[in-house]
Amino acid sequence: MGSEVESVQDVIRVRQSGPLGGLVQVTGAKNSALKLMAATVMAPGRHTLRNVPRIADVAIMVELLEHMGAAVDWLSVDGVTANSLTIEVPDMLIPEAPYDLVEKMRASIVVLGPLLARFGEARVSVPGGDDFGHRPIDMHLKALEELGATFTTSHGVIQGRVEQLLGARILLEYPSVGATENLLMAAVTAKGTTVIDNAAREPEIADLAAFLNGMGAGVSGAGGSTITVEGVEHLHPVEYTVVPDRIEAATYLAAVGLAGGEITIEGARADHMEMLLDKLAAMGLQFDDGGDRLHVVAPERPGRLASVDVSTLPYPGVATDYKPLLVALLSVADGVGILTENVFAGRFRYIPELVRMGADIRVEGHHAVVRGVRVLSGAPVRAPDIRAGAALVVAGLAAEGETVVADAHHVARGYEDLVGNLARLGANVSIGT
Ligand code: UD1
């Protein structure tokens, strides 16, 4: 996108707002829906996924499934597109993820495990760098090799083959979300028992396991560090509801922290965000957990949030995806907070944008030292990725004047209607002019 003429659709305008009030509904989790969609290729027939977010990344996964030969449709209720997808998986598929789709969305590599499981072969373009720099997939490949797959790479394409996947005990050197998912899906129809040790424990992994079990798989222990998979021969199509998006829920928590007020987040699962809620409570937000809804109250103005130190870690630690939201909150909190990034090296590209808005932040290695200021100052900024884009939008709620967030298409990759939802809570925010 050229900087001179910004598309009106590709900017989000925000003015200082608050206090917020009312109710907001979160959609299903992007990071689960994409994997469940990929997993459908393992069973021919018609699958139905409910609570699927209508976001750009899901549209790319739809394209990928269609490229392989599946028929994908959004269901409508009274003529209005609902959040349900049907995926009709034929007996034969083209087992490949081409470059143009993998390049648009790195998460496309999660088709690797399911395709190997179903067809004994898979061709997936090597993912390049992305918004967070180079992200290797060595652990995915190594784990799949331990189940018997072999890989060759040429002309930018990874080609995987296997006669019959065989169950094994696999110790992941790091609890990678993507590697755990690829391995879990491949293990479902492997012969014998697979044990995954040091598995990622994110709620989206437990959601994937529940989905696979709905298809007839024998997965136990998902959500913990050791997952056991008893291989089965046949899987069948399934109807399933995607787990709510904890990162979207956290975005509204940050919004109310920045703009003040009290809101109810429908679909927010406090039990999936415990460490984050502990940190936010220490900062001064108050919560009332209703099981599948969360009521949150910000300190009465002119009261401020208090600064805290936070480190990102694999689940159940504070997720790296929350971090831009936390930095935005700390930028107007009382005191100094240190944020330490332990998951992705150098995931700090939004910080110069917050500094343009008057935030006082110093980056030292993988630490960000944030000295809270009383108020931010609206400015033109650029969204570098999904969550950082959302963080800049909610930071704009606490900034005098107008903040114009360019490259808003990044936000649309992960949020169905961030602007509409914030506006309904009383925020002064709009798309384009
Ligand atoms: C997923 C999420 C992402 C989230 C991340 C961590 C999706 C689509 N994305 O990404 O939003 O921020 O989990 O919670 O679900 N690594 C390797 N080799 C590998 C695999 C990973 O070195 O083979 C490294 C990565 O570079 C990174 C760390 O492990 O430093 C964590 O990555 P991983 O947990 O795999 O994240 P993703 O699945 O890519």
Side-chain angles (χ1 to χ4, degrees):
M1 183 71 44
S3 56
E4 285 166 32
V5 186
E6 207 68 71
S7 155
V8 290
Q9 294 304 328
D10 205 28
V11 300
I12 296 174
R13 295 179 179 275
V14 198
R15 291 193 156 272
Q16 191 170 23
S17 306
L20 302 183
L23 204 127
V24 62
Q25 170 81 48
V26 296
T27 61
K30 167 181 90 72
N31 287 351
S32 183
L34 294 173
K35 322 305 168 60
L36 306 191
M37 290 170 74
T40 61
V41 305
M42 293 199 290
R46 186 184 161 97
H47 303 257
T48 304
L49 277 176
R50 304 206 181 276
N51 203 25
V52 180
R54 284 174 312 197
I55 54 175
D57 274 13
V58 164
I60 296 170
M61 187 55 87
V62 168
E63 253 188 271
L64 177 51
L65 290 170
E66 288 176 340
H67 169 89
M68 293 194 280
V72 188
D73 284 302
W74 287 102
L75 292 177
S76 295
V77 176
D78 299 331
V80 179
T81 306
N83 285 80
S84 296
L85 267 185
T86 58
I87 303 172
E88 183 86 45
V89 177
D91 285 336
M92 275 315 296
L93 282 178
I94 306 166
E96 69 172 23
Y99 179 64
D100 60 320
L101 296 177
V102 178
E103 186 204 27
K104 277 196 227 161
M105 188 181 65
R106 200 182 173 284
S108 308
I109 54 164
V110 290
V111 297
L112 193 55
L115 288 177
L116 280 172
R118 171 92 192 279
F119 301 104
E121 68 168 305
R123 296 183 296 281
V124 177
S125 278
V126 180
D130 69 0
D131 305 328
F132 312 130
H134 181 59
R135 281 207 250 176
I137 55 163
D138 53 318
M139 277 187 256
H140 300 232
L141 301 183
K142 183 164 176 279
L144 293 168
E145 278 170 355
E146 289 183 56
L147 294 187
T150 55
F151 295 97
T152 53
T153 305
S154 62
H155 307 293
V157 177
I158 300 166
Q159 172 122 12
R161 282 189 188 285
V162 66
E163 208 42 59
Q164 165 70 59
L165 290 165
L166 296 175
R169 175 177 175 263
I170 290 149
L171 174 62
L172 293 176
E173 66 176 85
Y174 178 90
S176 150
V177 172
T180 302
E181 290 165 338
N182 253 328
L183 178 56
L184 173 59
M185 291 187 278
V188 160
T189 52
K191 201 169 177 175
T193 305
T194 299
V195 177
I196 309 172
D197 268 330
N198 199 24
R201 290 188 275 166
E202 273 69 4
E204 293 76 22
I205 305 274
D207 204 40
L208 175 60
F211 176 80
L212 293 168
N213 284 342
M215 289 168 81
V219 183
S220 56
S225 287
T226 302
I227 301 177
T228 304
V229 187
E230 300 293 347
V232 296
E233 275 184 32
H234 296 291
L235 296 172
H236 52 77
V238 69
E239 181 167 337
Y240 190 82
T241 302
V242 180
V243 70
D245 197 319
R246 60 201 166 101
I247 319 288
E248 188 191 3
T251 308
Y252 304 122
L253 294 176
V256 80
L258 283 149
E262 59 181 285
I263 63 171
T264 300
I265 309 171
E266 291 282 352
R269 290 277 303 267
D271 55 331
H272 291 169
M273 305 191 285
E274 275 181 309
M275 293 269 188
L276 176 73
L277 297 185
D278 280 357
K279 285 293 172 187
L280 294 179
M283 291 181 81
L285 289 181
Q286 286 176 9
F287 300 105
D288 185 12
D289 173 14
D292 58 357
R293 53 158 45 188
L294 188 62
H295 186 73
V296 51
V297 184
E300 190 118 356
R301 302 299 153 112
R304 294 169 74 187
L305 295 175
S307 289
V308 291
D309 295 336
V310 191
S311 295
T312 64
L313 281 171
Y315 194 85
V318 174
T320 178
D321 292 9
Y322 297 138
K323 201 188 50 179
L325 300 165
L326 285 162
V327 173
L329 283 167
L330 287 174
S331 11
V332 290
D334 191 9
V336 178
I338 300 176
L339 249 129
T340 303
E341 170 62 63
N342 293 310
V343 179
F344 288 106
R347 204 176 186 181
F348 280 129
R349 291 203 305 144
Y350 53 94
I351 286 186
E353 306 297 309
L354 281 171
V355 169
R356 289 176 53 69
M357 295 173 68
D360 180 351
I361 308 172
R362 212 174 63 240
V363 176
E364 287 176 11
H366 63 131
H367 308 285
V369 183
V370 190
R371 189 177 299 274
V373 296
R374 280 203 168 269
V375 67
L376 295 171
S377 158
V381 290
R382 202 164 275 284
D385 63 65
I386 305 175
R387 306 303 172 185
L392 292 170
V393 171
V394 293
L397 302 173
E400 281 173 344
E402 188 180 51
T403 299
V404 182
V405 182
D407 286 351
H409 58 274
H410 283 298
V411 176
R413 283 188 52 198
Y415 293 85
E416 189 172 294
D417 190 14
L418 179 65
V419 168
N421 283 338
L422 290 173
R424 282 184 284 278
L425 294 173
N428 190 338
V429 52
S430 59
I431 294 176
T433 46

